[in-house]
Amino acid sequence: MSDIRRLDPAEAQARIGELCDVLADCVTGGASVGFMAPYGPADAAPFWQGVIAAVAEEATLLFVAERGGRIVGTVQVGIRQMPNQPHRADVKKLLVLESERGRGLARALMTAAEAEAAQYGKTVLVLDTATGSPAETVYERLGWQRAGVIPDYALYPDGRYCATTFFYKRIGAAA
């Protein structure tokens, strides 16, 4: 059984090592999530410091999945938007340890993120993911709508070009 919950800045800082492990595992596994190989847990610390600062500024919500008291997955929701987008939020970095995949953690993390975003009055969520990745199938199963694909949008950690698929989902009052 796993627990899904939101971290505050203090706990996120206290558990930054576990967050770094999850990100490094995903990048090492080939996920196109913004970083290049080689990539280890120490490389992930600056990224997580930025996330923790955004959580402290109430710009980002940070959710984790825990199994046996250890963080094994995470997702973020960027809730602070421009003045003409108060109803929108960005879902970022859905990450699950390779060893924990296939156990429903991505679904559980996304369900929690969507529910909390709705509590903040968000009615449209957006995200992007590597085209052809397993995550693409996860989002489709969760009711996300494909908006389009941009070829050569990013790079995989090994330097190959990667197309990106953009998705959106209406939640809360707009669903």
Side-chain angles (χ1 to χ4, degrees), residues 52 80 87 124:
I52 293 166
R80 185 180 296 158
H87 59 289
V124 177

Side-chain angles (χ1 to χ4, degrees), residues 42-66:
D43 299 312
F47 168 77
W48 286 112
Q49 290 295 352
V51 171
I52 293 166
V55 171
E57 294 169 2
E58 298 180 353
T60 297
L61 308 175
L62 174 61
F63 297 87
V64 296
E66 297 171 302

Side-chain angles (χ1 to χ4, degrees), residues 96-126:
V96 175
L97 286 173
E98 191 170 2
S99 63
E100 295 290 328
R101 294 181 190 157
R103 298 181 186 194
L105 295 177
R107 174 182 292 276
L109 283 162
M110 291 297 290
T111 299
E114 291 172 18
E116 190 82 9
Q119 292 297 314
Y120 278 81
K122 304 306 180 179
T123 57
V124 177
L125 302 179
V126 297

